[in-house]
């Protein structure tokens, strides 16, 4: 990463052409930030909305260069989404496309965290954002993925871009609550974590169960987008999930972010009881 930054700094380049997934695009945005070079991006999957987001995740190589937290940068200056390429990917590995819906499902839980945080005076409430979230959740329910990808890909992309605008208007809280804190922790807990969207969707399911809200909607969407609720199929185990839940509040405190975790008993025992109960009720499978 340092080599690329120096090479571009010394060269006479007008644009950085980037092809890849979320991590690749995050690195490209970081290089763009350091060199003030424009990015033309060809996203190779839509598992995350990184291509449309101005935020840069502090991945390990970026942390080595001294950036520990999420960085404010710019989104790709031009994103070219090749429908034929994405359709080929979708036919070969639907999981890479459908897992992106799991990331969008975060709104179902994060909205509750955001509204309560706004009532506490920590976040800014916006009616436009709240109604945009309604639109997104309604779209997730109504989008017809049984049709060929070309018939619904624009709606999918629009929702991802709307997510990025929401976070620009009022910050990331409406789209990133306790479920994202859990996803970050579970991704650090195991060597081969599930896709980000799958980890987020699992967090949405767990916190919806704890809240006793939206469970039917969440389980419907998981089945619709073929995001498994099987712990083993996600390369996880009960201990890892409970550990991640147990550590999630620490991540929230680092970001000074209020979530439902601030009001819960965050002991290992409490989360162990939650996960066991969800398994007994078939909301989670071993």
């Amino acid at each position: 990463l340092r080599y690329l930054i120096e090479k571009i700094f010394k060269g006479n380049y007008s644009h950085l052409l980037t092809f890849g997934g979320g991590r690749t695009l995050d690195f490209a945005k970081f290089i763009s930030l350091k060199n003030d070079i424009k990015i033309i991006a060809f996203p190779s999957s839509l598992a995350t909305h990184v291509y449309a987001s101005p935020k840069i995740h502090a991945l390990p190589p970026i942390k080595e260069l001294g950036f520990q937290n999420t960085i404010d940068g710019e989104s790709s200056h031009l994103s070219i989404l090749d429908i034929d390429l994405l359709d080929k990917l979708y036919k070969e590995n639907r999981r890479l496309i459908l897992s992106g819906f799991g990331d969008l499902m975060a709104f179902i839980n994060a909205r509750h965290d955001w509204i309560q945080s706004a009532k506490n005076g920590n976040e800014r409430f916006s009616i436009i954002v709240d109604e945009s979230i309604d639109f997104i959740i309604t779209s997730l329910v109504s989008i017809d993925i049984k049709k060929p990808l070309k018939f619904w890909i624009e709606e999918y992309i629009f929702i991802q871009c709307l997510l990025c605008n929401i976070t620009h208007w009022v910050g990331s809280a409406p789209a990133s609550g306790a479920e994202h804190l859990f996803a970050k922790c579970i991704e650090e807990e195991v060597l081969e974590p599930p896709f980000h969207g799958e980890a987020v969707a699992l967090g949405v399911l767990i916190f919806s169960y704890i809240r006793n809200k939206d469970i039917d909607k969440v389980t419907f969407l998981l089945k619709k987008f073929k995001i498994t609720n099987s712990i083993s199929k996600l390369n996880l185990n009960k201990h890892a999930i409970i550990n991640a839940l147990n550590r999630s509040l620490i991540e929230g405190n680092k970001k000074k972010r209020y979530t439902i975790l601030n009001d819960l008993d965050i002991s290992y025992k409490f989360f162990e009881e939650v996960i066991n109960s969800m398994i007994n009720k078939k909301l989670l499978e071993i």
Side-chain angles (χ1 to χ4, degrees):
L1 184 58
R2 184 182 289 109
Y3 166 79
L4 286 171
I5 291 169
E6 292 175 354
K7 181 177 176 63
I8 290 170
F9 179 76
K10 293 175 182 177
N12 184 26
Y13 302 100
S14 61
H15 294 82
L16 178 64
L17 186 63
T18 308
F19 178 88
R23 289 175 182 271
T24 302
L25 294 177
D26 265 326
F27 289 134
K29 289 190 291 184
F30 184 73
I31 293 169
S32 171
L33 179 70
K34 298 293 283 185
N35 284 296
D36 193 27
I37 187 172
K38 301 297 184 183
I39 304 171
I40 299 175
F42 286 83
S44 62
S45 81
L46 296 178
T48 71
H49 56 274
V50 168
Y51 68 94
S53 172
K55 301 292 184 182
I56 303 170
H57 297 93
L59 300 166
I62 294 174
K63 289 183 178 180
E64 288 181 23
L65 297 181
F67 295 82
Q68 297 300 317
N69 300 314
T70 300
I71 307 162
D72 288 322
E74 291 186 301
S75 61
S76 303
H77 300 93
L78 174 64
S79 291
I80 300 175
L81 290 101
D82 187 327
I83 303 303
D84 289 337
L85 172 69
L86 293 170
D87 188 51
K88 184 174 187 294
L89 173 68
Y90 185 58
K91 289 173 180 175
E92 292 181 2
N93 190 345
R94 295 196 171 196
R95 186 182 169 195
L96 278 171
I97 298 288
L98 295 180
S99 64
F101 283 112
D103 199 22
L104 295 169
M105 285 174 60
F107 280 107
I108 297 171
N109 178 71
R111 181 191 211 174
H112 296 301
D113 287 335
W114 168 60
I115 290 174
Q116 185 57 51
S117 187
K119 289 178 180 177
N120 296 345
N122 301 321
E123 301 286 348
R124 182 168 70 86
F125 181 77
S126 164
I127 292 175
I128 292 175
V129 168
D130 197 45
E131 291 181 353
S132 295
I133 294 172
D134 265 336
F135 170 82
I136 289 172
I137 294 174
T138 300
S139 297
L140 291 177
V141 172
S142 63
I143 195 168
D144 189 358
I145 61 168
K146 291 181 180 178
K147 293 182 178 179
L149 177 137
K150 65 181 181 181
F151 289 106
W152 52 264
I153 190 68
E154 287 186 22
E155 188 176 0
Y156 182 27
I157 293 166
F158 177 76
I159 295 171
Q160 288 190 321
C161 292
L162 180 56
L163 183 158
C164 295
N165 279 281
I166 285 173
T167 59
H168 179 67
W169 295 333
V170 297
S172 58
S176 178
E179 77 296 323
H180 267 81
L181 299 176
F182 164 76
K184 184 178 188 304
C185 290
I186 201 67
E187 287 163 1
E188 295 173 350
E189 189 72 28
V190 294
L191 290 175
E192 296 183 8
F195 292 138
H196 173 73
E198 294 172 333
V200 169
L202 178 61
V204 172
L205 178 63
I206 292 170
F207 288 110
S208 294
Y209 178 76
I210 291 172
R211 292 181 189 277
N212 194 25
K213 290 182 178 179
D214 306 309
I215 283 290
D216 289 344
K217 184 177 294 179
V218 173
T219 54
F220 167 78
L221 291 176
L222 288 175
K223 290 178 182 177
K224 177 177 181 176
F225 301 132
K226 304 188 188 313
I227 299 175
T228 183
N229 65 339
S230 167
I231 294 172
S232 58
K233 288 181 181 178
L234 291 171
N235 292 326
L236 302 175
N237 57 71
K238 276 175 52 178
H239 178 68
I241 291 173
I242 295 164
N243 259 358
L245 289 165
N246 187 239
R247 292 193 297 111
S248 294
L249 180 60
I250 297 173
E251 289 298 323
N253 289 338
K254 287 180 184 177
K255 296 185 176 184
K256 299 180 180 178
R257 172 72 50 80
Y258 166 86
T259 68
I260 189 176
L261 289 157
N262 292 81
D263 300 327
L264 292 178
D265 169 10
I266 61 165
S267 66
Y268 188 96
K269 180 181 178 182
F270 170 74
F271 287 123
E272 184 177 34
E273 290 173 353
V274 168
I275 298 304
N276 285 336
S277 177
M278 293 181 73
I279 291 170
N280 289 336
K281 293 181 180 180
K282 309 297 184 184
L283 293 171
L284 286 176
E285 296 179 3
I286 301 292

